[in-house]
Amino acid sequence: MSEEAQEDQGGQEAPGSGIPLVFGRVLKRLRVQAGMERAELGRRTGYSAATITSYEVGRRIPNAKFIRQADGVLDAGGILIDFIEDMERAQYPATFQDAAKLEKEAVGLHVYDALVFNGLLQTEEYARAVFTMWRPLLDQETIEQRVVARLARQEIFERKSTPTISFVLEESLLYKRLGGLQVTRGQLEQILLIGQRRNVEIQILPNDREEHVALFGTFTLIDTAKGRRFAYADAHKGSRLYSDAQTVREMEERYGILRAQALTPRHSLALVEKVLGET
């Protein structure tokens, strides 16, 4: 199960508790001390009063942009800004928080996915469709919050020091119609666009391959600026980040074989384009 599936099924720090609740209490105290109503804070930061309420009771996790804006508007002197890293971590399941931090700063990412397109590749509509389909049902506010968190991960593509990123994707993903025809077309177009980036290679593993070295599940290899490599392995309610050399080496071997069994990046994008034309 990918980190997307882990994220889809829950497990993140519950809104209304933990860090989100502490942040909300501090935000409310600073707002009251400033003699400002929620509607005014919302107007000056570009959010509704209802959203400010959700932040203050810890029901929603604000993004870094809002936190910086609120810190300035309330003259908090960096008190709120100090929460940014913890709040970003709180957006993800506990099993993915460490991996998310490494991903954000990685110099290299190498991903194998089989169930859904990786969150780094997803369009907003595709991500929303995935969260909407989850059972037990998620409320609309939670869905939107998780969509925002997922799309925020894609900022990695805009970094000045662009990492080297590769994906091996099962061919079956191209034919799933999650969210409907228009969502599917948009998602395939997204794959083509991202695949054109010089630092990104996308490979499709054809359905007709008679051998498969990753039947145990999807995983990601993460390279750091300090020359270390971690492996994030996905499992139902048991995803884990590995740093020991033996486990990482085993996953490196699997990934190398997967890339050898997959189509080349050029032929992979040609297949995606063909499927898009037939969709």
Side-chain angles (χ1 to χ4, degrees):
M1 179 180 292
S2 68
E3 81 275 6
E4 280 68 43
Q6 286 282 318
E7 190 177 332
D8 297 341
Q9 70 182 17
Q12 70 185 54
E13 185 164 9
S17 64
I19 291 298
L21 183 58
V22 174
F23 172 85
R25 288 174 174 172
V26 173
L27 175 64
K28 181 178 180 179
R29 179 174 298 178
L30 290 169
R31 178 182 61 76
V32 172
Q33 289 176 348
M36 191 177 299
E37 297 293 330
R38 290 185 177 120
E40 176 64 11
L41 177 58
R43 186 186 66 79
R44 297 178 64 176
T45 56
Y47 295 83
S48 68
T51 298
I52 302 301
T53 299
S54 293
Y55 291 159
E56 290 187 349
V57 300
R59 192 166 60 243
R60 291 185 62 182
I61 300 174
N63 57 33
K65 178 182 177 181
F66 168 81
I67 294 174
R68 292 191 180 95
Q69 288 176 319
D71 192 271
V73 169
L74 298 174
D75 195 23
I79 292 176
L80 296 179
I81 291 176
D82 287 342
F83 280 90
I84 288 179
E85 183 173 343
D86 287 333
M87 295 297 277
E88 288 179 342
R89 287 171 60 85
Q91 296 180 95
Y92 304 110
T95 54
F96 184 57
Q97 288 179 359
D98 290 337
K101 182 177 180 181
L102 289 171
E103 178 187 87
K104 184 176 180 180
E105 303 169 354
V107 298
L109 286 172
H110 308 285
V111 182
Y112 164 64
D113 267 311
L115 299 178
V116 295
F117 288 108
N118 191 272
L120 294 176
L121 297 172
Q122 290 182 10
T123 64
E124 179 178 345
E125 294 76 16
Y126 185 94
R128 184 173 290 107
V130 170
F131 286 126
T132 300
M133 286 182 277
W134 185 252
R135 297 296 186 273
L137 289 170
L138 302 175
D139 62 77
Q140 195 60 40
E141 187 173 63
T142 299
I143 290 173
E144 294 307 317
Q145 178 176 299
R146 295 188 182 185
V147 169
V148 170
R150 179 159 296 180
L151 296 180
R153 291 173 54 202
Q154 298 177 9
E155 293 175 1
I156 193 172
F157 291 119
E158 307 303 328
R159 275 175 28 190
K160 291 184 179 179
S161 55
T162 54
T164 299
I165 306 176
S166 67
F167 298 90
V168 175
L169 308 174
E170 293 286 344
E171 182 184 357
S172 58
L173 288 174
L174 306 181
Y175 302 102
K176 289 184 178 181
R177 297 295 179 258
L178 301 182
L181 186 60
Q182 292 306 312
V183 171
T184 299
R185 288 187 57 83
Q187 183 58 56
L188 294 178
E189 291 171 352
Q190 174 94 325
I191 298 300
L192 292 174
L193 286 173
I194 294 178
Q196 297 299 322
R197 291 178 176 269
R198 293 177 59 196
N199 64 312
V200 177
E201 291 187 333
I202 296 176
Q203 292 180 257
I204 304 298
L205 187 63
N207 292 331
D208 63 2
R209 292 297 188 257
E210 296 181 358
E211 296 183 357
H212 201 303
V213 296
L215 296 177
F216 69 97
T218 56
F219 62 93
T220 301
L221 297 171
I222 308 172
D223 299 326
T224 73
K226 294 183 179 180
R228 294 197 63 188
R229 171 170 275 183
F230 294 83
Y232 178 77
D234 307 319
H236 181 61
K237 295 187 178 181
S239 297
R240 182 176 173 184
L241 184 68
Y242 294 90
S243 60
D244 65 283
Q246 180 176 344
T247 302
V248 173
R249 180 69 190 89
E250 289 172 356
M251 295 192 186
E252 286 176 335
E253 181 177 355
R254 292 188 181 109
Y255 194 72
I257 296 173
L258 283 172
R259 294 199 72 177
Q261 293 174 335
L263 299 175
T264 66
R266 178 177 295 181
H267 288 116
S268 295
L269 293 184
L271 176 59
V272 174
E273 189 169 9
K274 177 178 179 291
V275 174
L276 175 60
E278 297 171 348
T279 301

